[in-house]
Amino acid sequence: MDKQYKTVYEGGEGEIVEKKSRFIATVIPCEDEETALQFIEATKKKYWDARHNCSAYTIGLNHELERCSDDGEPQKTAGRPMLDVLLNEGIHNVCVVVTRYFGGVLLGTGGLVRAYQAATKAGLENSTIITKQFGRKIRIVTDYNGIGKLQYIVASAGYTMLSTDYTDVVTACVLVKPSEQESLIKKVTEATSGRAEISVEDELWFAENDGEVILF
């Protein structure tokens, strides 16, 4: 099975109002705990006059590191519900802080849970979520007769052509998932009667966003 996971490419903010209390969610991507802690501290300074700045983050391909904080709200009414949203959405390497400006009306434990979760979802909705996939770059050297066949194979199979360099021969780099590697090699070998030079190059993570391929 090809390795892949959902994560945040660009963070965002979302806000809800519940019984006059404002809940402002700020989301960022983060791949280590230091980044998450710095972000939480910076958000607390930004919203220094707020009643609470609750937080949650999960880091690692298998959610190896999970942390959350109620920041003064009743236990398990803020941080844990926020973390549950991240886990239920299957998002990795993400940190969210929900800032609350108290509106004077108590929400009760159930109301707090719902409000913090709704704010977290609003923050995620205004963020750019991508699916990172593990891939391999395949380098193919062929003559000018072979490039048309290669382009057809790439287009029909939905592979990604990363680059094409034209000299006395044509050198193309194609991005595929590991499970697609052998199929591509077989198709190119058959189409060019074995004349194409094929080599497996870099292993990398990639994602698609608005039709654009992003390499990591």
Side-chain angles (χ1 to χ4, degrees):
M1 183 177 178
D2 296 319
K3 290 188 290 186
Q4 63 179 39
Y5 66 96
K6 287 171 64 177
T7 190
V8 176
Y9 182 56
E10 292 182 350
E13 290 187 2
E15 180 176 337
I16 68 164
V17 177
E18 185 67 30
K19 293 183 179 179
K20 299 182 180 180
S21 282
R22 291 176 62 206
F23 295 83
I24 306 167
T26 311
V27 178
I28 66 160
C30 65
E31 297 194 359
D32 56 72
E33 188 169 28
E34 182 180 0
T35 301
L37 295 176
Q38 289 176 348
F39 169 65
I40 293 168
E41 188 61 32
T43 305
K44 287 182 176 181
K45 290 181 179 178
K46 178 180 179 180
Y47 296 110
W48 59 271
D49 56 340
R51 179 72 67 90
H52 307 281
N53 284 285
C54 305
S55 59
Y57 56 90
T58 175
I59 297 170
L61 299 187
N62 296 304
H63 301 290
E64 288 87 352
L65 182 62
E66 300 174 3
R67 297 287 187 272
C68 58
S69 169
D70 295 311
D71 194 40
E73 291 282 30
Q75 188 177 10
K76 296 183 179 180
T77 62
R80 183 68 225 189
M82 292 162 57
L83 180 59
D84 286 342
V85 170
L86 302 181
L87 297 177
N88 289 339
E89 294 288 337
I91 301 177
H92 303 249
N93 296 344
V94 58
C95 179
V96 58
V97 176
V98 174
T99 301
R100 181 189 183 189
Y101 283 95
F102 184 57
V105 180
L106 297 176
L107 301 183
T109 55
L112 286 172
V113 169
R114 289 189 293 271
Y116 277 101
Q117 289 194 322
T120 301
K121 291 177 182 178
L124 291 175
E125 288 172 0
N126 290 325
S127 302
T128 302
I129 309 297
I130 59 173
T131 298
K132 273 191 176 183
Q133 303 179 71
F134 187 69
R136 293 199 175 102
K137 187 161 63 174
I138 309 299
R139 183 173 179 267
I140 301 168
V141 181
T142 184
D143 56 26
Y144 279 76
N145 292 325
I147 187 59
K149 298 173 182 177
L150 175 58
Q151 290 171 334
Y152 173 78
I153 291 170
V154 169
S156 61
Y159 304 137
T160 298
M161 185 80 81
L162 294 177
S163 65
T164 310
D165 184 30
Y166 295 88
T167 56
D168 55 326
V169 294
V170 183
T171 302
C173 287
V174 181
L175 178 63
V176 298
K177 301 173 185 177
S179 62
E180 300 169 334
Q181 176 182 319
E182 293 305 317
S183 177
L184 170 64
I185 292 174
K186 181 179 178 180
K187 290 176 181 177
V188 173
T189 300
E190 291 177 350
T192 62
S193 301
R195 290 191 295 271
E197 297 178 15
I198 306 172
S199 58
V200 179
E201 303 282 307
D202 303 334
E203 296 182 338
L204 44 75
W205 289 95
F206 72 97
E208 294 184 14
N209 181 44
D210 292 332
E212 176 187 0
V213 176
I214 308 163
L215 304 180
F216 298 92

